[in-house]
Structure formats: C-alpha cells, structure tokens
Amino acid sequence: MFHTNMFDSHPHMLDMSPHKTAFSETDLGKPRDDEYETKSGTDMDAPSGDDQDPNPRPRKKGYRRHTQRQIEEMEAFFKQCPHPDDKQRKELGRDLGLEPLQVKFWFQNKRTQMKTQHERHENSILKAENEKLRAENNRYKEALTNATCPNCGGPAALGEMSFDEQHLRIENARLREEIDRISGIAAKYVGKPVTSSYSNLSSLNNNHMPVGNYGAQSGTVGEMYGGSDLFRSLPAPADADKPMIVELAVAAMEELTRLAQAGDSLWVPGNHHSEILNEEDYLRTFPNRGLGPKPLGLRSEASRESVVVIMNHINLIDILMDVNQWSTMFCGIVSRALTLEVLSTGVAGNYNGALQVMSAEFQVPSPLVPTRENYFVRYCKQQSDGIWAVVDVSLDNLRPSTISRSRRRPSGCLIQELPNGYSKVTWIEHVEVDDRAVHSIYKTLVNSGLAFGAKRWVATLDRQCERLASSMANNIPAGNLCVITSAEGRKSMLKLAERMVISYCTGVGASTAHAWTTLSATGCDDVRVMTRKSTDEPGRPPGIVLSAATSFWLPVPPKRVFDFLRDENSRNEWDILSNGGLVQELAHIANGRDPGNCVSLLRVNSANSSQSNMLILQESCTDSTGSYVVYAPVDIVAMNVVLGGGDPDYVALLPSGFAILPDGPGMNGGSILDVGSGGSLLTVAFQILVDSAPTAKLSLGSVATVNSLIKCTVERIKVAVIRDNT
C-alpha cells in the first residue's frame, strides 16, 4: 500500500534545481560569443622598460574569436572524440592555425556545455515523473478512503477481494497461529506466558473473515507443520562446516553398511513381516553416534526391508542421486526435495564418492498426517565390485537455532548387482520424530512403520521399477485394447498418466509447498480446501483451481475398497460427474504383476442424449503398503494426439482420486470393529477449475460447492462399499 505521506513529507524528493556551472541561466540556451574565444599572447600590449608606469593598472586581456571554419572543424572532431590527447590537439591546432592550449580550452568548454544541457533535460523528465507519481498517489488515497462494497455499501468483504489480497490475509492468519504455537512452547520452558508482538496486526483478525473455516485453525496439520518456511530458507553449508559434513557422512556410511548386513542381534521381527531395530543393542553397537543423543520429545522409528527389483544397479544409483528423478519415482512419499549444494560429484565418471547437501519433505497421502522435513547430506559409495550404498544423515547440528521435529539417523540402501539386469536392495529407515500431531485414526499406521518406514520405500521402488520396465517395452502386450495402435502411443499415454499421479500427490498431503493456499482445514470429518491460480503453465488449465481433500476410516479391507473404486462398472455408484452414465474402458495398459497396476482410458456414455460423452484417464496402482486410484477428464482431441504418439506434456489435467492405506499392520483375525483391526484409511481429493480467468475473484460459493461435492461423494462411497462388504 502507499504511505499517505509518501510525497507530502518529502516535497523535494527529486532536486529539480539547475546545477551550478560557469554559465548563467540565460547563457545555456545559446553559445556565448566569448565561449569560442581563446586567450592569445600576441594580442596583448607588452610595455617596454622605458614606458612602464610606476603604478600600472591591470590592462584588459585581448581575445581572439574563432572563425566559422575553426568551429565547424572542432565540432566535427568533438563528435568523434570529445577527449583529444596532446598529439591530437597539436595536429588539430596546426591544421586550424590555433595553439594547442586554445584547442584544449575550447574542448573543455564544449564538454561542460554538453554536460549541463544533458542534466537539465534529465531534471525535466524526473520532474514530470514526480508529478505523475504524486497524482497517482492522490488517486490511491482517495480510492482507499472511499472504498465500499458494491452490494451493501459497507466496507469491502472477503468475497470481493482479489486472489492475492485473500492470499495475504490467510498467510497473516497462519503466521499469527504459528506465533501462538511457538509462544506456547516457549512458555513451558520459561514458566510464564510469553506475549506475542503482533498487536499491530489486529486489524486483520477473524472479524474480517466472515466464513468460519477460513484461515488457519489451531489443529491444522497443513498450516502448522506443512507450511514451514524453514525448507525454503535453508542456506548452503559454510566452508567451515564442510569437513564436519564429510566426517559425518563417512561415519554414517559405515553405520548403514553394518546395519544392512547385521544379523538377528540388531534386528528383530516386527509387524507385517518387517524387521525393526533393537534399540538397546543398537546403542551398545554404536555408542559414539555422530548426531548425539535423541532429543527430548522425539520417538525412534527404525526398520529394514529387502527386495529384488527389475532394474540394474547403475540406473538405481542414477535415480537416487538425481533429486528430480528421486522425487518423481517416490512422488507418493517425497512431496518436495532440493539439492542445496554438491560437495563432490564422484570419481571415474560415476557417483562413487558423490556427496550432496539436500533438503526434503516426506508425506503420507492425507491432510491429517504432518509432513516430515529433513536437512541432510547424501553420500554414495561403491563398497566393492557390484555393491553400492547410498546413505542420508541429518545436518541439524549445523542449524542449532531451529527446533527439529524430525531428523534422519543413517538411512538409505545397500544395492547389490544381480544377473539379467536385476538388483537386490536392502533399505533402512532410521528416524527420530515428534509425531504427536498425527491424527488419532492414523496413529496405529504411523507407529507400525508402514507410513514412513522401509517397507513403504521398498514397495514403492518395486512397483515403480515394474512400471518403468513396462513403459520401456517396445511391443504392445496382447492385453492392451485396440485404440492404442503404436508403441509410441503407449509410451505417451503412460507418460501422461505419470504426470497426472505426480500432480495428484502434490495436492493430497499435508504439504503446502506447491503454490497452494489453504483456505479451510479442520478435523477428521471436515474438508481441507486449497486454492491455486495458473496462467500459462503447460499441462494445467488457466484459471482458479480449488483442491479439496478429506480422510476417513472405513470398516472394509483396503483391497476391497481399491477394487471397488478402480472398477469402471461401479463408477456410477459414486462418481457424481458421470451422471449415472455407462462407463466403458477404451484402452488398458498393464504396468505391473498385480492386475490392479494399470492405466486405463474410460469413456462415460452420458445417459442424457443432449450431453456429449466424456473421456477419463485413470491410473490405479497398489502394493502391500497402500493403493491409489487417480483419474482426470481429458480432451478428446488432445487424447487422440497422445494415442498417436504425440507430446503429452501440453495436455491439460486436473487430477482427482483416492489414496487407500491400511489402518494398521494387519488383520486381527476377527471382525473389523475399530481403527487398527484391518480396515481402510481412505483419502478423497478433487481438483476443480472454478474460473478460467486467473485474475478472477474467488467466489465463496465455489468453496461451498466443492465442499458439498466431496462430502456427497464420501457418503456414496461409504454406503456402496459397506453394502458390498456385508
């Protein structure tokens, strides 16, 4: 906003007075006569010794006027060279019949004249600009004074705000919530309440937000934990810290290698056929841990899992050491990642010895589970021929002023080369985390290690390797339907589906790092709504987009929920937008051993003959730790281009879908009566374009419509799934 006294208090912000020079105001418009005259010693009267006056008066010095030719020649030379040297002055004087000193004085006067005229011209321009700014400021002050609501005549309300104004108000509310939270934490240590210092922001309190669930709420996971700016503000490590980073990475590599190869003494059987770390034996085996003791309030979580994947070890290393490939392959787990500095690129043309400082945010596909932010170093080393290791370890000691809610002890994987392009991967996840903000229905899942543990990383890796192998196949398997006529069309469709799933994952978790603004977020039964505006971004329709997500528990096994939601024959039971029309599968690409891992192109044949049919791109994927069903309406013309092998990057997508997780480590052998007994945790998320103009004002009715849509879908799913299960 403009300060009301921006110009009134500084009337002389720009100095418009002419610069003082050797010329008067009236002389600047035209050259003076004596400006081109120079002293000439030959014209002075030199008195003889006999005629000298004992009291001589100073006699007027004589001047010689330059001829027109001399002036024209010097003007022409000035345009080419305003600063002639001694040699040039002598040559010019000889040609014009002038002394070098006369030429020197003329050029000095000419330069002064040009400089003065230039400054006068600049001052006149600045003066005009100043007047323009003053008038504009007055218009703003008048507009702010008289601003009213066009409907009621009162002060403008939230509904008439621009997108950016609303964003600022919501961000201000979030910051005030963060201050309250930190003040509460500090009060526990100080022993008395800590007063916050944002009283000057009271004009932006909730009285200016007529919708009750707008702004940050005290229990909001996404606002309190996903919206942290620490991730964005992390600096590259200082040179003085780099030796310590190297030492920490080397020690972490040694620890990871021993943990990966250790026997039963360090690892004991856990739930869901996984291995968990024996904390007592670990402390005895590694007494001098580089990160120091576990901070108060953090819980240890450590697990180990092995798998054989269809990918050679070199390609695996390339993916793990490239932050973009890594975050793409694990998009359901890594919500954002950044390489802050590469300390070493490795030797001999590979990643052996590569060392890079990174930051990453890890998520569960639900707004009810806080993300885990980590600042760490990643180190890659070749242990022996055909055996590599990649390890992460937190660098929280380099930023002691921050309160860490999650830190990574040596975590990573040991990769062993196998014949025929396969690799054996042993994955270790060892973290210390404050997970008290996890919602109650997700507590059992998180505590079991399935949410963030090694089993989830390994299951995701195995599934993604199968998908990648499928996308690289040149032949079209017999199971694919006939609308896919070429291997290029198959690859383009898989690439488009991959982008759709990645886009879905960025908006379904508790992270607020992907240009989304959280509008509402409350408890388990409510909907978290976020908004984003797109302009000229390829692959996204321009305009205002709303993303709504909610999570809830179902007393139905995850596989049954997954099969129901991915089946096109049951789609009209829950999909309101299909209007009860018949859904037909036009194309099918299997991309894994499990029949549920596939990409489909669906056509919704409208029951109303006056409505056109709709195409839907859908990908479903499943493993032992969770499942996804993600879909998006697609343009028929654009899809024909993709099926012909065209570039899928410019097909506009707004993905919606479901994330299905188990509610705990496994079935209890009896009825599913409560959370943790074998039911499902289902997250429903929609992305909807509410206005095609990016500069449009966000309508509160749009938020209400999206809320109603997702709640109606949830109720339909509950009724249909529970009915089928019984």
Side-chain angles (χ1 to χ4, degrees):
M1 303 300 290
F2 284 85
H3 194 286
T4 55
N5 296 321
M6 180 191 293
F7 296 111
D8 297 340
S9 59
H10 300 282
H12 304 294
M13 182 179 294
L14 300 174
D15 185 9
M16 300 303 167
S17 61
H19 290 256
K20 296 180 180 179
T21 66
F23 303 101
S24 66
E25 180 74 13
T26 57
D27 292 333
L28 288 173
K30 63 181 187 304
R32 301 184 311 173
D33 290 342
D34 57 353
E35 181 180 337
Y36 301 115
E37 295 173 354
T38 313
K39 291 181 287 185
S40 175
T42 58
D43 287 348
M44 297 182 184
D45 295 330
S48 65
D50 295 337
D51 296 333
Q52 286 182 354
D53 191 340
N55 297 308
R57 290 178 301 171
R59 299 184 61 182
K60 183 177 181 180
K61 296 180 180 179
Y63 289 88
R64 172 178 296 172
R65 185 183 300 275
H66 297 314
T67 66
Q68 187 65 28
R69 174 181 170 275
Q70 290 172 335
I71 293 175
E72 290 176 355
E73 291 290 338
M74 287 190 287
E75 288 276 5
F77 196 93
F78 183 86
K79 291 179 181 178
Q80 301 295 328
C81 179
H83 295 273
D85 56 25
D86 290 341
K87 182 179 179 182
Q88 290 172 317
R89 285 197 297 267
K90 287 179 181 180
E91 291 179 356
L92 189 59
R94 185 170 58 250
D95 293 343
L96 300 178
L98 296 173
E99 294 293 330
L101 196 58
Q102 292 177 294
V103 177
K104 178 180 179 180
F105 287 156
W106 187 91
F107 273 86
Q108 284 180 346
N109 289 340
K110 184 66 176 177
R111 288 194 296 268
T112 303
Q113 181 197 33
M114 296 299 292
K115 179 181 177 182
T116 304
Q117 289 177 347
H118 180 70
E119 289 176 346
R120 287 191 66 198
H121 178 67
E122 278 191 339
N123 274 355
S124 63
I125 294 175
L126 291 173
K127 184 176 181 180
E129 186 69 20
N130 197 9
E131 292 298 329
K132 180 181 176 181
L133 290 173
R134 189 191 301 274
E136 187 175 353
N137 188 38
N138 290 334
R139 287 198 301 272
Y140 273 112
K141 288 192 291 185
E142 183 178 356
L144 288 173
T145 303
N146 302 325
T148 58
C149 173
N151 297 323
C152 66
L158 182 63
E160 289 76 43
M161 286 184 189
S162 70
F163 183 93
D164 293 322
E165 288 176 305
Q166 181 183 340
H167 192 161
L168 289 172
R169 285 180 179 266
I170 295 167
E171 179 69 7
N172 181 264
R174 185 190 70 78
L175 291 173
R176 288 192 287 110
E177 285 290 334
E178 185 72 6
I179 292 173
D180 282 340
R181 188 180 67 83
I182 295 174
S183 298
I185 294 173
K188 296 179 182 179
Y189 295 95
V190 176
K192 60 180 180 180
V194 179
T195 58
S196 58
S197 57
Y198 58 87
S199 58
N200 58 327
L201 302 179
S202 59
S203 60
L204 293 177
N205 59 19
N206 288 335
N207 295 331
H208 290 259
M209 294 187 177
V211 182
N213 60 357
Y214 267 61
Q217 307 291 326
S218 59
T220 303
V221 169
E223 291 296 314
M224 291 173 59
Y225 292 90
S228 172
D229 286 333
L230 292 176
F231 187 95
R232 304 181 187 92
S233 61
L234 286 174
D239 290 340
D241 295 328
K242 291 177 182 178
M244 186 184 73
I245 294 175
V246 173
E247 183 179 345
L248 191 63
V250 171
M253 178 62 73
E254 181 183 355
E255 179 174 323
L256 178 85
T257 305
R258 293 176 64 184
L259 287 175
Q261 298 172 343
D264 296 338
S265 60
L266 277 173
W267 297 98
V268 295
N271 294 322
H272 219 269
H273 310 291
S274 61
E275 294 178 303
I276 59 175
L277 189 65
N278 185 324
E279 283 290 328
E280 293 182 358
D281 284 353
Y282 171 74
L283 292 175
R284 283 195 296 268
T285 307
F286 302 99
N288 300 318
R289 300 185 296 172
L291 293 182
K294 179 175 64 178
L296 187 65
L298 299 190
R299 177 182 66 86
S300 290
E301 185 180 290
S303 57
R304 182 175 71 171
E305 195 73 29
S306 297
V307 70
V308 175
V309 297
I310 182 171
M311 181 178 288
N312 68 65
H313 65 293
I314 297 299
N315 289 342
L316 269 177
I317 293 295
D318 289 343
I319 290 173
L320 295 174
M321 298 305 294
D322 184 302
V323 68
N324 293 322
Q325 293 188 64
W326 175 62
S327 56
T328 296
M329 173 163 277
F330 297 100
C331 62
I333 305 175
V334 182
S335 57
R336 53 177 173 165
L338 183 67
T339 298
L340 299 173
E341 185 171 349
V342 177
L343 302 182
S344 172
T345 57
V347 295
N350 56 41
Y351 283 106
N352 184 23
L355 198 68
Q356 48 193 0
V357 176
M358 304 173 64
S359 55
E361 183 183 57
F362 306 105
Q363 69 169 1
V364 166
S366 169
L368 301 182
V369 181
T371 58
R372 297 178 176 182
E373 292 182 1
N374 290 121
Y375 174 52
F376 57 93
V377 59
R378 175 164 292 179
Y379 178 39
C380 176
K381 182 182 178 183
Q382 183 176 8
Q383 303 288 349
S384 60
D385 189 24
I387 298 180
W388 292 68
V390 178
V391 65
D392 299 341
V393 63
S394 282
L395 297 176
D396 290 337
N397 293 339
L398 300 186
R399 48 170 193 165
S401 59
T402 61
I403 301 175
S404 176
R405 292 187 298 269
S406 171
R407 66 177 189 172
R408 291 175 74 75
R409 288 206 173 273
S411 303
C413 58
L414 195 69
I415 303 171
Q416 180 182 353
E417 180 185 9
L418 296 179
N420 301 321
Y422 284 78
S423 300
K424 180 182 179 182
V425 179
T426 302
W427 200 288
I428 291 173
E429 277 295 303
H430 189 185
V431 299
E432 293 168 341
V433 61
D434 177 3
D435 56 8
R436 288 173 290 183
V438 174
H439 195 279
S440 59
I441 65 172
Y442 280 88
K443 285 256 183 215
T444 304
L445 175 69
V446 172
N447 292 340
S448 71
L450 286 178
F452 293 97
K455 191 173 188 65
R456 186 175 174 216
W457 285 92
V458 160
T460 302
L461 177 64
D462 188 24
R463 173 170 50 81
Q464 290 286 58
C465 286
E466 287 185 358
R467 190 189 193 282
L468 188 59
S470 174
S471 67
M472 296 173 64
N474 293 320
N475 61 320
I476 303 175
N480 291 351
L481 299 181
C482 60
V483 296
I484 304 176
T485 58
S486 66
E488 290 75 15
R490 186 172 180 274
K491 289 179 180 179
S492 293
M493 185 167 163
L494 285 171
K495 186 177 179 183
L496 181 62
E498 179 186 54
R499 177 161 64 86
M500 175 181 69
V501 173
I502 292 173
S503 178
Y504 172 80
C505 290
T506 62
V508 71
S511 175
T512 58
H514 301 281
W516 291 101
T517 301
T518 302
L519 300 182
S520 63
T522 51
C524 172
D525 297 327
D526 289 319
V527 180
R528 194 260 332 253
V529 180
M530 302 190 297
T531 183
R532 180 190 67 202
K533 64 177 177 180
S534 302
T535 50
D536 297 326
E537 301 174 61
R540 288 177 178 171
I544 303 295
V545 177
L546 285 183
S547 172
T550 189
S551 297
F552 56 96
W553 177 74
L554 282 172
V556 181
K559 186 178 187 311
R560 187 160 297 176
V561 177
F562 173 67
D563 290 338
F564 170 80
L565 292 173
R566 75 180 182 90
D567 186 0
E568 70 273 12
N569 296 318
S570 59
R571 190 180 188 94
N572 54 17
E573 295 186 47
W574 57 264
D575 189 0
I576 299 172
L577 300 180
S578 66
N579 267 337
L582 179 66
V583 182
Q584 177 186 2
E585 187 177 45
L586 300 180
H588 180 97
I589 301 176
N591 56 11
R593 289 168 295 181
D594 193 296
N597 291 330
C598 63
V599 176
S600 302
L601 184 62
L602 309 176
R603 181 173 64 193
V604 180
N605 299 306
S606 176
N608 188 344
S609 59
S610 63
Q611 295 180 349
S612 59
N613 295 335
M614 178 173 57
L615 284 184
I616 295 176
L617 179 67
Q618 175 177 295
E619 175 159 359
S620 59
C621 51
T622 184
D623 58 52
S624 59
T625 62
S627 308
Y628 292 90
V629 178
V630 183
Y631 63 91
V634 289
D635 180 70
I636 295 178
V637 176
M639 204 62 215
N640 282 330
V641 174
V642 172
L643 292 174
D647 186 2
D649 290 342
Y650 291 92
V651 178
L653 290 175
L654 282 179
S656 301
F658 311 94
I660 307 118
L661 301 178
D663 63 357
M667 297 286 288
N668 60 3
S671 300
I672 304 175
L673 301 176
D674 53 14
V675 175
S677 59
S680 303
L681 298 171
L682 179 61
T683 298
V684 184
F686 291 157
Q687 290 186 31
I688 299 174
L689 182 69
V690 296
D691 201 303
S692 58
T695 57
K697 297 171 183 175
L698 182 63
S699 167
L700 301 183
S702 301
V703 179
T705 301
V706 173
N707 266 292
S708 299
L709 175 63
I710 197 170
K711 287 185 176 180
C712 183
T713 303
V714 167
E715 290 305 315
R716 285 189 172 200
I717 291 173
K718 286 181 177 179
V719 171
V721 171
I722 294 175
R723 182 192 65 232
D724 289 353
N725 189 52
T726 56

